Amino acid sequence: MFNRTLRHIVLSTTLAVYASAHAEQWEPRFFNPKPLPEDVVLPLPCDGSMTFRKVSVPGTKPLDDFGVTLGAEDSAQRHLEQAHPAHIAGSFTASGPATGRYYLLGKYEITELQYQAVMQETCPKPAMKLMLPKTGISWFDAMQFSDRLNIWLRKNAADKLPKEDGVPGFVRLPTEVEWEFAARGGNSVGSTEFREARYPMPDGLNKSVWFAGSQSANGKLQLIGLLTPNPLGLHDILGNADEMMFEPFRLNKLDRFHGQAGGFIVRGANYLTPESDIRTAWRQEQLYYQATDANRPRTSGFRLALVSPALTSVQRSKQIEQDWAALGAAPSVPATPGSTTAAPGAAPSTL
């Protein structure tokens, strides 16, 4: 019995290595159907790829962060979406003529093709039918995908990962603040546009978002990249599949979140969401478990963030300690809904 099991493991490993070595390299239409300047492409197993976009955030020092107001000021779902102050910071230091810091967010939702390339033992054959967002998985499946991809990248493509202070970045689900800041358009839009219910859509909602109804998604999940992206070049950030967040769900309690942590968060609405409910502040709780198994919502998918650790070295920790000590000498202005205060040393807010 032991020998038979061992032979099965060896054979499975051999087949997986063979399949990966003889995989068909993906054409750009299978990982970046709408290429843009400054797209960041990372390799995947099976000669696959994944595309990211940079999200720039003012600030140059590790302790700098940027104040924004997120949520909605006039939402009927105030316990979910009430406007509140938040802060965001980039992971990586910008190079060249650009200044500031940035993190990266997946340009598209993870597709069935990308999911199979990371999670299966044999490589999938690229096909348009696999270009749908991967849905019907649990939050734990998305975490396992991230873990497997991180390990593969470190073993096979560490030189492709952006680095901060010499330490390579890693992928994970985005936080709510990372997701909403990018979904609204980040610093690529003005303060008024940033606070609107939806990011600017010059061609109209139907050209930008898949939502419920025969004039849009018609009750069906749609291929990635068919519609116009948001101002940062992110496709389907609203509509199509709603997207899992990294942290657990919390109720909104005026200008802060409630103390109880619940299930996982999904953002962005989906192909079954009515047109009237399509907004950047849309957020819902999903259960981690349903009945006797993990919850696998058919409308929920995910995109990944590419970030770095906060404490990358002894030298970086010392710099943060110095910056922290300097905070005591600076006047403290509490953030409130509608205010946009940046941390000491950060670039002035445009929001």
Side-chain angles (χ1 to χ4, degrees), residues 11-314:
L11 179 60
S12 297
T13 304
T14 302
L15 289 174
V17 172
Y18 178 85
S20 181
H22 293 79
E24 177 183 343
Q25 188 169 12
W26 297 1
E27 299 175 19
R29 63 193 176 108
F30 291 119
F31 65 89
N32 194 12
K34 297 289 181 63
L36 289 172
E38 299 183 355
D39 284 344
V40 176
V41 178
L42 283 186
L44 293 183
C46 301
D47 277 336
S49 296
M50 180 184 299
T51 311
F52 291 83
R53 296 288 295 172
K54 288 184 178 180
V55 183
S56 298
V57 183
T60 55
K61 299 179 181 179
L63 203 57
D64 288 348
D65 58 7
F66 186 64
V68 293
T69 299
L70 303 179
E73 294 165 357
D74 56 354
S75 173
Q77 303 289 319
R78 299 183 71 179
H79 62 290
L80 298 174
E81 302 173 3
Q82 174 68 27
H84 58 277
H87 288 80
I88 188 164
S91 285
F92 305 103
T93 303
S95 59
T99 59
R101 295 166 69 82
Y102 67 91
Y103 62 97
L104 295 107
L105 195 62
K107 184 176 179 179
Y108 311 95
E109 293 162 338
I110 295 297
T111 64
E112 179 70 41
L113 179 63
Q114 292 169 328
Y115 191 82
Q116 290 184 16
V118 173
M119 301 297 284
Q120 291 187 172
E121 289 186 352
T122 58
C123 289
K125 182 177 177 60
M128 290 309 296
K129 65 180 181 180
L130 299 180
M131 295 297 289
L132 292 168
K134 178 62 180 176
T135 59
I137 60 173
S138 71
W139 184 87
F140 305 102
D141 292 330
M143 293 293 285
Q144 186 179 29
F145 177 93
S146 304
D147 180 53
R148 287 195 181 187
L149 180 55
N150 278 316
I151 292 172
W152 184 89
L153 285 167
R154 276 156 173 70
K155 289 181 177 179
N156 298 278
D159 60 320
K160 304 296 184 182
L161 289 168
K163 294 179 175 61
E164 177 65 14
D165 195 26
V167 177
F170 62 95
V171 297
R172 57 159 167 76
L173 293 178
T175 66
E176 277 203 276
V177 176
E178 289 167 348
W179 185 93
E180 188 173 337
F181 180 76
R184 289 180 177 275
N187 280 333
S188 67
V189 300
S191 58
T192 301
E193 294 173 319
F194 186 89
R195 292 299 307 138
E196 293 291 336
R198 303 164 184 160
Y199 61 80
M201 300 179 185
D203 299 325
L205 184 66
N206 288 68
K207 298 292 186 180
S208 302
V209 180
W210 294 113
F211 53 88
S214 58
Q215 300 303 310
S216 185
N218 200 24
K220 296 180 180 178
L221 193 65
Q222 303 292 322
L223 301 176
I224 65 160
L226 295 180
L227 300 182
T228 305
N230 86 337
L232 288 178
L234 303 170
H235 286 265
D236 301 318
I237 195 76
L238 298 183
N240 214 15
D242 54 59
E243 301 177 12
M244 302 176 190
M245 301 292 105
F246 183 72
E247 67 264 53
F249 174 86
R250 296 176 186 269
L251 291 168
N252 190 301
K253 191 173 180 181
L254 297 180
D255 62 346
R256 66 175 178 86
F257 285 112
H258 187 261
Q260 178 187 355
F264 66 90
I265 306 163
V266 290
R267 299 296 306 259
N270 58 67
Y271 63 95
L272 298 178
T273 303
E275 177 181 354
S276 60
D277 287 342
I278 295 295
R279 57 187 179 274
T280 314
W282 187 97
R283 65 191 294 267
Q284 298 288 328
E285 179 184 23
Q286 283 282 2
L287 303 177
Y288 288 111
Y289 300 96
Q290 206 162 44
T292 59
D293 200 359
N295 183 22
R296 294 179 170 85
R298 65 188 179 99
T299 59
S300 298
F302 66 106
R303 74 179 72 218
L304 293 179
L306 178 52
V307 297
S308 75
L311 302 176
T312 50
S313 67
V314 173

